[in-house]
Amino acid sequence: MNLLKDSFEFGLHTQIHFGVGRLQELPSILKKYNYKNILICTDKGIANSGALDHIETILKNGDIKYEVFTEVEPDPTIRVVKKVEQLFKEKNCDAIIGLGGGSSIDTAKGVSIAVANPGDLNQFEGKNQIPNRGPDVIAIPTTAGTGSEVTHAAVLKDEERKYKMGILSEHLHPKAAILDPALLTTLPRGLAAITGMDALSHAIESYTSNQAQPITEALGLHAIELIGKWLRPFVADRTNLEAASNMMLASTIAGTAFIWGRVAAVHALSHPLGGRYKIAHGQANSMLLPVVMEYNLSSNFQKFKNIAALLGERVEDLSLRSAAEKSVDAVKELVTDLGIPKTLKDINIELSLEEIQVVAQEAFDSGIANANPKNCTVQDLVSMINTIK
Ligand SMILES: [Fe+2]
């Protein structure tokens, strides 16, 4: 970015409450906003992990009235959003807590849209298509990856179309995010690995995108460094609170970076792969990230050299190109160390040529890849999918 010629915008709209044990402050945070009856939106995994019981105890002790919905599904659907919207209205709620990973937080955001804006949610796909701001969302993440706790994005699945749509709106920034790393300690190992790679994808895609600007670059770089240092120890032992704290921080910083820096071809492709073949978002990103990085290398060798160095690669005596290439090696090694499957075949998915074409076309049409630092045609996206076959 040329600071003499180019301009940029940046804002963060979510109040962040970070720290081990900060969940205890939930009642005082909610009271500050005068909510009368709050709906907790979460999934069965969280309900069974004890985290929901923990929060309910805190709310009861704090004299907070609440309702609970525990049937959020892994890929949040419009159908479930409509169900929660009904409950929200029946119980006269006035705010929503998204408790869980990206699915719970995005469902909460979907409910907020639905309550204040009548009609089919499909009409709000894209950027700033939502006319009215809905009830506040309070995000309490239990994974370190989504970034949804601070972003303006919700990804919701339309089951009829097998389509994951992105809704981006300034109305979707959560009012507050309670980031308590103690909530990460019961996260299953596989989920810790792929959600951490989702965070790394946000950091690298926003840092290298054609929308990057000085503030998002600074945030992206710091998130990459934190993830390079802490994702392995976190996945190895989720009760390591220092590692959990650093990963939770990294996830939120990377989320903040991509509000303005955007994500690119990795996310363009992972959405249709998730929508059509139920591949978990972080799993799809883990497979795609090194492939897309390799494709993008020549757009800015210096940036990829910086990524390599932050991920622990030795780059001092190398040419700029060789140093940049080390960033791809570093991400591949990370995926290997975390035990994440690397190809579609590894997760028993085989796509025909026609299916690959459809995924690539859908990725292209979503416009997400427009932020890719190197232009992508549908054929380029086809080649990327072929590389992870
Ligand atoms: Fe993501």
Side-chain angles (χ1 to χ4, degrees):
M1 173 172 269
N2 181 335
L3 292 182
L4 296 180
K5 286 195 302 189
D6 301 324
S7 60
F8 68 88
E9 279 184 52
F10 184 87
L12 178 62
H13 307 279
T14 303
Q15 188 73 23
I16 292 171
H17 303 264
F18 180 93
V20 176
R22 291 293 295 274
L23 195 59
Q24 293 293 342
E25 294 169 33
L26 183 58
S28 62
I29 292 164
L30 298 177
K31 278 174 186 165
K32 194 170 87 182
Y33 300 118
N34 280 321
Y35 305 132
K36 303 280 180 280
N37 192 17
I38 193 153
L39 176 60
I40 302 174
C41 188
T42 192
D43 62 43
K44 289 215 162 62
I46 297 298
N48 295 334
S49 74
L52 179 60
D53 288 343
H54 183 44
I55 287 200
E56 288 195 65
T57 306
I58 292 171
L59 291 176
K60 279 174 193 153
N61 291 342
D63 262 338
I64 300 286
K65 191 166 181 291
Y66 66 90
E67 312 290 337
V68 183
F69 179 86
T70 59
E71 287 159 49
V72 169
E73 292 164 354
D75 280 320
T77 58
I78 291 176
R79 180 177 48 79
V80 172
V81 166
K82 287 287 177 192
K83 222 166 144 181
V84 190
E85 180 203 357
Q86 281 304 316
L87 184 66
F88 184 94
K89 287 177 171 168
E90 274 166 32
K91 301 287 184 183
N92 286 318
C93 296
D94 54 1
I96 317 150
I97 289 179
L99 168 68
S103 300
S104 292
I105 299 171
D106 284 6
T107 300
K109 289 179 177 179
V111 175
S112 176
I113 304 169
V115 166
N117 298 278
D120 192 338
L121 280 175
N122 281 301
Q123 66 186 305
F124 306 124
E125 183 178 4
K127 200 171 176 191
N128 289 332
Q129 301 297 314
I130 306 173
N132 308 312
R133 183 177 168 91
D136 289 347
V137 171
I138 307 290
I140 308 182
T142 60
T143 64
T146 166
S148 187
E149 63 272 14
V150 286
T151 70
H152 61 327
V155 180
L156 299 173
K157 185 172 167 182
D158 180 344
E159 288 163 302
E160 273 171 38
R161 291 191 290 157
K162 291 190 175 167
Y163 179 70
K164 271 178 140 179
M165 63 169 171
I167 302 178
L168 306 171
S169 165
E170 57 193 11
H171 296 322
L172 291 183
H173 292 281
K175 187 80 176 169
I178 322 280
L179 307 180
D180 188 338
L183 285 169
L184 298 181
T185 54
T186 53
L187 192 62
R189 176 195 285 245
L191 210 48
I194 61 172
T195 49
M197 287 303 296
D198 185 25
L200 184 62
S201 305
H202 299 153
I204 291 178
E205 289 218 280
S206 64
Y207 174 61
T208 56
S209 96
N210 59 24
Q211 299 298 305
Q213 37 109 323
I215 298 176
T216 63
E217 285 172 351
L219 294 166
L221 282 171
H222 189 47
I224 293 165
E225 184 174 18
L226 288 172
I227 296 165
K229 188 170 177 194
W230 293 105
L231 181 53
R232 285 181 182 86
F234 173 58
V235 171
D237 176 9
R238 276 84 65 219
T239 65
N240 175 344
L241 265 182
E242 189 182 9
S245 300
N246 279 286
M247 278 308 300
M248 185 157 255
L249 192 58
S251 160
T252 299
I253 292 174
T256 309
F258 92 79
I259 297 171
W260 297 97
R262 292 183 53 182
V263 285
V266 173
H267 278 74
L269 284 165
S270 67
H271 288 171
L273 286 172
R276 293 183 170 272
Y277 306 104
K278 297 191 171 162
I279 304 171
H281 180 63
Q283 170 62 59
N285 287 353
S286 302
M287 294 188 286
L288 289 161
L289 182 58
V291 176
V292 173
M293 286 171 71
E294 197 146 27
Y295 176 82
N296 286 335
L297 276 181
S298 62
S299 68
N300 193 326
F301 286 130
Q302 183 61 51
K303 279 197 169 181
F304 285 97
K305 176 185 175 177
N306 296 344
I307 294 169
L310 290 173
L311 292 178
E313 295 291 317
R314 191 182 271 276
V315 294
E316 291 82 17
D317 301 323
L318 300 176
S319 68
L320 188 56
R321 171 187 279 270
S322 299
E325 284 167 354
K326 285 281 178 192
S327 66
V328 180
D329 297 341
V331 171
K332 285 182 179 168
E333 283 160 18
L334 183 56
V335 171
T336 301
D337 289 348
L338 299 177
I340 299 173
K342 291 174 187 156
T343 62
L344 293 169
K345 199 174 166 204
D346 290 344
I347 51 172
N348 300 316
I349 289 177
E350 203 175 320
L351 302 187
S352 66
L353 290 177
E354 291 75 25
E355 288 174 311
I356 291 174
Q357 192 69 33
V358 168
V359 169
Q361 188 67 49
E362 212 171 273
F364 184 83
D365 292 343
S366 73
I368 298 174
N370 291 347
N372 209 60
K374 189 169 159 185
N375 286 348
C376 292
T377 62
V378 175
Q379 194 49 45
D380 293 325
L381 295 163
V382 165
S383 301
M384 290 172 193
I385 306 168
N386 278 327
T387 312
I388 61 163
K389 272 205 306 194

